[in-house]
C-alpha cells in the first residue's frame, strides 16, 4: 500500500506528461500536486481492498505482488529500462537488500489488508501515524544517529499513546506496531541503498523476489481452500478487474511520489505524508463506523501531539540548515 511510499524517494522515473517546469514556483506547485495525489490515493486504499472481497487477505496480497510485477515489466519495456534493470540484477549487493525490502513490504501489505478486511482500518491508520516516529527510533538504534530533545519527546509520547490504547482496549495494537516497524525497516533498507536503484527497477526487484512465494501461496490456497480459496475470476467482472488493477494501484502512487520527491524539499514531503493516515482514519470512523472508545481517542490525541512536536522540530531544523544568501 499507501504501505509503498519509501520506494520512490530515489527514483528518476516520473509519470508521462508535459515537460518539467523550469521555474522554482512552478516546480514546487506541480510537486505538491504530485505529493497530494500520491498520498490521497494511499489514503483511500482501504476502500479499494474492500472491493476485492470476498477474496481473502492472502489471495489479495499474492495477486497484488504478481500483477505489480507484470505492470513493472510493462513499464520497463515502455521506458526501455530493461538494460539498466538487468545490470542491477547481476549485482548481488543490490539484489539481496532489495529482496529483503520485498519481504518487509509484503509483511506491511499483508498486515494492512488483514486489518482492513477485519474492520480495523483505524488501527491501520495508527500504524502509519506512528511510522515517522519509528523511523526516527530506527535511526538511533541502527544508524547510531543522535536525536534532538524534541525527537526524543516525540518517541516518548508515542510510547505513552500505545500504552494508553493497550490499557483501554485490553490488548496491544499489534497491527499498528507491525505496520509501523515493517515500513520503518523497509525505509531504512531503501535509505541504505541510496540512489543506486530507480523506482521502477526497485519495485520490479522487490516483487520479483517475492513472486515465487506469491505463486506458491495461490496454489496452496486453491488446493486447500484455506483463506476462503482462490475466488479470482469466479465472482464478477468488477471483482476480476479490481484484482487485476491492483498492480496499477500499487505503482501509480509510487511514480507520483517519485515526481514529487524530485520537486519538493524533504521537509515539505514530510508534512504531506500525514494525509494518507488522516484519510484512512476518516474512512474507518466516518464511512465504516468503527468504534472509537475514549482510550483510543486519547491515544490518537497523544500521537497527534507527538507528530506536531516532530514536525515543528523538522521544519525548524530544515530552516537552520538552509544556507543564508551570502553563504549560498
Amino acid at each position: 500500500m499507501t504501505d509503498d511510499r519509501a520506494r520512490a524517494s530515489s527514483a528518476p522515473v516520473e509519470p508521462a506528461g508535459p515537460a518539467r517546469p523550469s521555474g522554482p514556483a512552478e516546480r514546487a506547485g506541480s510537486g505538491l500536486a504530485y505529493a497530494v495525489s500520491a498520498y490521497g490515493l494511499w489514503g483511500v486504499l482501504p476502500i479499494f481492498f474492500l472491493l476485492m472481497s470476498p477474496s481473502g487477505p492472502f489471495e489479495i496480497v499474492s495477486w497484488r505482488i504478481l500483477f505489480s510485477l507484470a505492470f513493472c515489466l510493462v513499464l520497463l519495456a515502455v521506458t526501455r529500462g530493461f538494460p539498466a534493470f538487468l545490470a542491477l540484477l547481476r549485482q548481488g549487493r543490490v539484489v539481496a537488500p532489495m529482496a529483503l525490502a520485498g519481504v518487509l513490504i509484503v509483511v506491511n501489505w499483508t498486515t494492512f489488508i488483514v486489518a482492513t478486511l477485519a474492520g480495523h482500518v483505524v488501527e491501520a491508520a495508527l500504524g502509519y501515524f506512528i511510522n515517522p516516529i519509528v523511523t526516527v527510533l530506527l535511526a538511533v538504534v541502527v544508524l547510531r544517529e543522535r536525536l534532538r530533545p524534541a525527537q526524543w519527546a516525540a518517541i516518548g509520547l508515542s510510547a505513552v499513546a500505545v500504552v494508553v490504547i493497550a490499557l483501554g482496549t485490553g490488548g496491544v495494537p499489534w497491527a499498528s506496531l507491525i505496520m509501523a516497524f515493517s515500513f520503518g525497516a523497509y525505509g531504512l533498507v531503501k535509505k541504505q541503498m541510496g540512489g543506486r536503484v530507480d523506482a521502477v527497477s526497485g519495485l520490479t526487484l522487490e516483487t520479483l523476489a517475492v513472486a515465487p512465494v506469491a505463486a506458491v501461496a495461490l496454489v496452496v490456497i486453491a488446493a486447500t481452500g484455506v483463506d476462503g480459496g482462490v475466488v479470482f475470476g469466479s465472482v464478477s467482472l468488477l471483482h476480476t478487474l479490481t484484482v487485476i488493477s491492483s498492480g496499477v494501484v500499487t505503482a501509480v502512487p509510487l511514480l507520483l511520489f517519485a515526481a514529487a520527491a524530485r520537486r519538493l524539499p524533504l521537509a515539505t514531503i514530510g508534512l504531506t505524508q500525514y494525509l494518507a493516515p488522516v484519510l484512512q482514519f476518516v474512512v474507518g470512523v466516518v464511512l465504516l463506523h468503527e468504534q472509537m472508545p475514549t482510550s483510543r481517542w486519547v491515544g490518537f490525541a497523544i500521537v497527534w501531539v507527538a507528530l506536531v512536536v516532530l514536525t515543528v522540530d523538522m521544519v525548524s531544523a530544515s530552516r537552520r540548515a538552509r544556507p543564508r544568501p551570502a553563504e549560498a
Side-chain angles (χ1 to χ4, degrees), residues 164-181:
V164 168
I165 292 174
L167 293 176
T169 59
V172 177
W174 290 113
S176 304
L177 296 176
I178 292 172
M179 289 174 62
F181 278 92

Side-chain angles (χ1 to χ4, degrees), residues 122-132 134 175-177 179-181 277 300:
V122 170
E123 191 170 342
L126 176 62
Y128 288 121
F129 276 124
I130 296 175
N131 174 249
V134 169
S176 304
L177 296 176
M179 289 174 62
F181 278 92
F300 267 84

